[in-house]
Amino acid sequence: MTQPASAARKDAPMSAAESTSDGASDSTSDTPSGTAGKRTRRPALMRWDVRSMSLLGVLVALVAVGGVTQPDSFLATSNLQLVLTQASVIGVVTVGMTFVITSGGIDLSVGAIVALASVWATTVATQEFGFAGILFTAVLVGVGCGLVNGLLIAYGGMVPFIATLAMLASARGLALQITDGRTQMVTVTEVLDLGVKDAYVLGVPPLVLVFAAVTAVGWLLLNRTTFGRRTVAVGGNAEAARLAGIDVRRQRLYLYLLSGLCCGIAAFLLIVLAGSGQNTNGNLYELDAIAAAIIGGTLLSGGRGTIVGSVLGVLIFTTITNIFALNNLETAVQQIAKGAIIVAAVLVQRRTLRGDA
């Protein structure tokens, strides 16, 4: 019997919308026994487990290399705390980037937004409002920039690459104008105190705790909510998602708002870490965030994303940077190593996609 057109439009995209981005599925199978659904979900789940374990293996190998080359420095508690703290800032940005890429978009402006939010939040006028004023301003600027990006892309019809590239240039320019090229020192004691060891919780820096909280919320949002399913559906097939009743434009707007929010939070963490705001903050964050998401398993074409993989990607890049710094190796060699990792990750993705086809 021929299926009605309305039913076909409803059922076709739901397989993408209801599957979680890490390969598991929250929905039950449509077959009476449910065995078919189990057969399709288990291989995907195993692939994602293999990827995560592979990334974890790479991270363990890097820790071993650091321990062998610089045993006294690398394995010191203070250095491990530093690695995690540095990973926290770019890690929060990467969580937002993962959502955007999963939806089939891109955000080249995250580094510039972090810079703008950090300098706006550290002006003399803002610091007069204390801790709350700095935090609120950083988040507000980030969300505001995300709103502009979202409106231009979702309702203005602009290509994400062009819209976010324009935001990158504009935000950098505005950050330079605000600071006039000078570093703005933070004088609010409550903010500076978050970076001292007395503020650590069981030896864990507060910035790392914030990163862990953002990661947990991001994972739940992407894998256990309707918002996450809609994000995956839009990235997999925007037209099918629209026919399923998803407001694609509104969803994309929300995603860029989320990315802006993450940039605002990261800007505040960077203020705590550096004790200042400057227009050069967040330099190349966009490339690091995209690279971390890609090597973590998020498809650049959209439709599949993983928060766990993105976090592992961030930790891998941060550990590489730390090892190179401790061994006094040139920054150029570090960039070459990162580029090789990105190329290898993309090649693995393409091979995986061929296997899925």
Side-chain angles (χ1 to χ4, degrees):
M1 182 176 179
T2 304
Q3 187 180 23
S6 59
R9 285 197 303 268
K10 179 178 179 182
D11 293 339
M14 287 307 290
S15 60
E18 290 184 352
S19 62
T20 64
S21 55
D22 281 327
S25 175
D26 294 329
S27 59
T28 57
S29 174
D30 290 334
T31 60
S33 63
T35 56
K38 293 180 181 178
R39 285 197 299 268
T40 58
R41 289 197 298 270
R42 188 173 300 158
L45 181 59
M46 290 175 61
R47 283 195 299 271
W48 283 109
D49 286 342
V50 169
R51 288 172 187 152
S52 297
M53 293 304 296
S54 299
L55 290 172
L56 187 58
V58 171
L59 182 59
V60 171
L62 288 173
V63 172
V65 170
V68 171
T69 57
Q70 295 290 334
D72 296 331
S73 302
F74 181 80
L75 296 179
T77 302
S78 58
N79 184 67
L80 296 178
Q81 290 172 337
L82 176 62
V83 171
L84 292 176
T85 301
Q86 292 176 337
S88 298
V89 180
I90 184 61
V92 172
V93 175
T94 303
V95 170
M97 182 69 77
T98 301
F99 277 89
V100 172
I101 296 179
T102 301
S103 72
I106 199 74
D107 192 348
L108 301 178
S109 63
V110 291
I113 294 175
V114 169
L116 179 59
S118 68
V119 301
W120 207 324
T122 54
T123 60
V124 175
T126 302
Q127 293 194 51
E128 291 179 354
F129 294 94
F131 181 96
I134 294 177
L135 176 59
F136 177 78
T137 302
V139 172
L140 182 63
V141 172
V143 172
C145 292
L147 176 63
V148 174
N149 281 337
L151 290 175
L152 290 176
I153 294 168
Y155 294 95
M158 292 187 66
V159 178
F161 181 90
I162 300 300
T164 57
L165 184 62
M167 176 58 72
L168 183 155
S170 301
R172 283 289 179 192
L174 184 55
L176 178 60
Q177 185 177 25
I178 291 174
T179 61
D180 196 21
R182 300 186 180 93
T183 299
Q184 298 178 162
M185 303 304 298
V186 177
T187 59
V188 180
T189 306
E190 292 83 354
V191 174
L192 298 175
D193 286 345
L194 291 177
V196 300
K197 290 187 177 181
D198 291 341
Y200 290 8
V201 179
L202 299 177
V204 181
L207 275 66
V208 178
L209 296 177
V210 173
F211 176 36
V214 171
T215 299
V217 172
W219 186 90
L220 290 173
L221 192 62
L222 186 60
N223 296 286
R224 293 293 182 266
T225 67
T226 302
F227 181 87
R229 297 187 187 97
R230 289 174 177 172
T231 300
V232 175
V234 169
N237 190 326
E239 180 61 20
R242 185 187 67 82
L243 293 175
I246 297 175
D247 191 332
V248 175
R249 293 190 299 179
R250 185 172 61 185
Q251 184 69 16
R252 285 174 174 162
L253 174 62
Y254 288 162
L255 289 167
Y256 282 95
L257 282 172
L258 178 60
S259 179
L261 173 62
C262 290
C263 289
I265 296 173
F268 180 78
L269 298 183
L270 189 57
I271 291 171
V272 174
L273 182 62
S276 63
Q278 48 189 324
N279 64 288
T280 57
N281 283 342
N283 187 34
L284 297 181
Y285 272 19
E286 56 277 358
L287 299 183
D288 288 342
I290 293 171
I294 291 175
I295 72 169
T298 299
L299 294 184
L300 192 58
S301 58
R304 183 183 296 170
T306 164
I307 298 295
V308 174
S310 296
V311 170
L312 289 174
V314 169
L315 293 175
I316 287 173
F317 277 143
T318 308
T319 304
I320 290 175
T321 301
N322 184 261
I323 292 175
F324 275 63
L326 291 177
N327 287 278
N328 296 319
L329 297 177
E330 296 181 359
T331 305
V333 180
Q334 172 186 326
Q335 299 299 331
I336 292 173
K338 286 185 177 181
I341 293 175
I342 295 171
V343 171
V346 172
L347 291 177
V348 170
Q349 278 194 0
R350 293 185 62 182
R351 183 175 180 179
T352 302
L353 288 175
R354 291 196 191 101
D356 293 343

